[in-house]
Amino acid sequence: MSLTDDEWADLDAPSSADASGPAAATSTEEPQGRGGKPRGKKRGKRKKKETPQLVFATVNEFVTDYLAPTIRRNLEGKEHAWCPSWWRHPEAVQRLTAVWRAWESLRLDAAVGMSVWWLQHCDPHLRALMDPNTGPLAACRPTKHSAYAYAPLPLEAADPSLWLSPSLSAAPTASESTEST
């Protein structure tokens, strides 16, 4: 964290001990560093960490302005699937939102952020999205949207008592925990 000019001025300002000379210093004062400046705690107001501004306001903006122009794949064969209406596929929206959010966060890491983003986020999600056999875009073609390739996962209702374990459910609220006693 770097200090502002005002914070540096606070560090350079003479303390009451400086006004009386070095003999007036007591053991209850902060330890002195080079040039009589206090060591340890920094004086001055600390600024709250600001949340960085997003580069892209929406996942659609991220896909349209960054991802689609960046990703180049042969879509003519049967190795990759893509849908120009990717936003009609809930799984694609979820995965591309995760890729976008990870990009927004990792772009701030100048050392390895983009490498981590490509290897741990973008590549795995693109493999799943663009898989022509099992991906959510498998029924689509690069030039047109089609109905879903597969039906949603089948489900059977679970016994509600299964979810009573604290490891499988949200922590009880204060009112719920007092009702049980």
Side-chain angles (χ1 to χ4, degrees), residues 26-130:
T26 65
S27 62
T28 60
E29 293 181 7
E30 294 181 20
Q32 300 295 306
R34 290 187 182 162
K37 294 180 184 175
R39 280 189 302 182
K41 296 180 186 177
K42 293 180 182 175
R43 295 184 191 172
K45 296 178 184 176
R46 287 188 181 201
K47 292 184 179 180
K48 288 184 181 178
K49 247 187 181 177
E50 293 182 23
T51 304
Q53 289 291 323
L54 296 175
V55 173
F56 301 101
T58 65
V59 65
N60 184 58
E61 190 178 309
F62 172 75
V63 171
T64 302
D65 296 345
Y66 180 76
L67 195 66
T70 301
I71 303 299
R72 307 293 173 117
R73 300 290 186 272
N74 177 1
L75 300 175
E76 300 303 318
K78 296 188 179 197
E79 293 181 31
H80 300 99
W82 181 251
C83 181
S85 299
W86 59 268
W87 39 267
R88 291 183 177 187
H89 301 270
E91 183 180 347
V93 171
Q94 296 265 336
R95 286 182 175 276
L96 291 170
T97 298
V99 169
W100 164 51
R101 298 264 184 201
W103 185 89
E104 290 285 1
S105 176
L106 291 167
R107 71 183 169 84
L108 302 171
D109 179 351
V112 297
M114 285 296 93
S115 180
V116 170
W117 179 76
W118 280 105
L119 295 173
Q120 301 298 318
H121 299 277
C122 190
D123 287 346
H125 283 294
L126 285 181
R127 272 193 298 277
L129 279 172
M130 299 179 83

Side-chain angles (χ1 to χ4, degrees), residues 128-172:
L129 279 172
M130 299 179 83
D131 187 296
N133 297 311
T134 61
L137 311 176
C140 299
R141 296 296 163 251
T143 56
K144 78 174 210 175
H145 169 73
S146 295
Y148 297 110
Y150 305 104
L153 297 175
L155 298 174
E156 291 181 13
D159 178 354
S161 66
L162 177 66
W163 311 117
L164 296 177
S165 167
S167 64
L168 299 175
S169 61

